[in-house]
Amino acid sequence: MTDATVGLLRDAGLLAGEPDELYREWVRWTLAAGHAPADVVEVARAENVTATTFAPLAGRTVWRGPDRRPYVRIDDARRARELARLTELLNGGRPSRTDPRRDRNRWSYSGMLGLNRGDAGTTVKRGALVATPEGTLMAVAGRRALRTLPNPVDWFAARGGTTWGEMYLVNGSFDDPAEILRTTVESGRKPPGSGAPSLARLLRHERVHSEQWARYGYARFIWEYVIRHNPNKPCEHPLEREAGLEDGGYRC
């Protein structure tokens, strides 16, 4: 079906020349998302997919889950948003529809409370960062990564971790954060400390939290999550219930 869909894309004038493997992979995952071949043509048109769309991913480290879904390692935080968007698209997602969330959470990528160049964030020195199929980020801190002065991430990072805008930060620090990410992705199992049934379900849960950050905004989300409701009672917490208690590993 991939070859037939590529033919339709070429006939529609959306593909010139021979597509590379990443383009063909995009076709496969878009079909797997439930789209008919003719629908993939409309997705390509809406998302402006061309033969060169995935060129920024060439040569980058790609880790794959048990289902072979690609996760792209980010070695320069200045490109985190671009690579997260491309990873979502490659996995059959529709990043044009989730861009408003990234716009609202743009502080996740830059500025005092966002990502630093070459590492995974203001509290994650010498950390590792990966773009996920949900179009969000997952980060692991390096050893002795947390700075002296606390910030809200430190205050309510608990259990397996917490989502901070667009970034899910695994709780704790590790000698080899990239290896923690790699083994988590390739096994498909929950990251250290998490009670989630699987990585895929955890990321689905955390993506809803990213949507909540975007909906409420920075200060309002913290108010809703930490002050208005008790974060120590997740089974009664409306934001956790909305995100899916079982996906997050909460047993109520």
Side-chain angles (χ1 to χ4, degrees):
M1 189 174 292
T2 298
D3 289 340
T5 304
V6 168
L8 289 176
L9 289 159
R10 186 176 286 111
D11 293 342
L14 298 171
L15 175 64
E18 189 63 26
D20 62 17
E21 183 51 39
L22 286 173
Y23 186 98
R24 295 179 68 86
E25 183 170 8
W26 164 74
V27 172
R28 292 195 296 271
W29 286 121
T30 305
L31 290 168
H35 296 288
D39 297 331
V40 177
V41 173
E42 296 307 314
V43 172
R45 186 173 287 113
E47 300 293 337
N48 297 314
V49 180
T50 70
T52 61
T53 292
F54 301 103
L57 301 182
R60 294 190 174 275
T61 298
V62 176
W63 294 316
R64 294 185 180 276
D67 58 0
R68 304 302 297 162
R69 284 193 176 275
Y71 295 66
V72 178
R73 184 176 179 184
I74 298 171
D75 55 11
D76 184 346
R78 292 171 298 184
R79 303 191 70 179
R81 175 171 178 157
E82 172 195 9
L83 297 177
R85 193 179 189 280
L86 283 175
T87 303
E88 180 181 13
L89 180 63
L90 181 60
N91 278 276
R94 301 293 301 273
S96 66
R97 297 180 178 180
T98 54
D99 277 337
R101 186 197 74 218
R102 280 180 280 270
D103 290 341
R104 292 291 303 275
N105 291 334
R106 58 187 176 275
W107 52 268
S108 301
Y109 304 107
S110 63
M112 182 176 67
L113 295 173
L115 299 173
N116 291 327
R117 183 175 66 184
D119 61 52
T122 54
T123 61
V124 191
K125 301 301 291 181
R126 298 180 299 277
L129 185 66
V130 70
T132 79
E134 297 288 349
T136 56
L137 310 173
M138 181 166 62
V140 172
R143 179 59 57 188
R144 299 175 62 183
L146 300 182
R147 295 180 177 180
T148 303
L149 295 177
N151 67 27
V153 170
D154 306 318
W155 296 337
F156 62 88
R159 291 167 58 91
T162 190
T163 285
W164 184 247
E166 291 293 297
M167 180 173 66
Y168 173 68
L169 175 62
V170 175
N171 198 28
S173 58
F174 301 87
D175 290 331
D176 191 344
E179 182 65 11
I180 294 295
L181 282 178
R182 185 189 67 80
T183 56
T184 297
V185 168
E186 292 182 352
S187 70
R189 294 192 293 268
K190 60 189 180 183
S194 172
S198 68
L199 176 61
R201 291 182 64 178
L202 174 65
L203 292 175
R204 182 170 64 186
H205 174 94
E206 300 301 336
R207 185 253 303 154
V208 177
H209 284 321
S210 292
E211 293 169 353
Q212 293 165 347
W213 276 102
R215 182 169 75 235
Y216 287 114
Y218 184 85
R220 175 73 184 279
F221 177 87
I222 293 175
W223 167 267
E224 293 286 339
Y225 195 94
V226 182
I227 301 174
R228 185 178 181 187
H229 304 285
N230 187 349
N232 294 318
K233 296 182 178 180
C235 294
E236 301 173 12
H237 201 296
L239 298 186
E240 290 295 350
R241 293 174 67 88
E242 179 187 5
L245 293 172
E246 290 186 2
D247 283 350
Y250 299 109
R251 294 172 176 82
C252 304

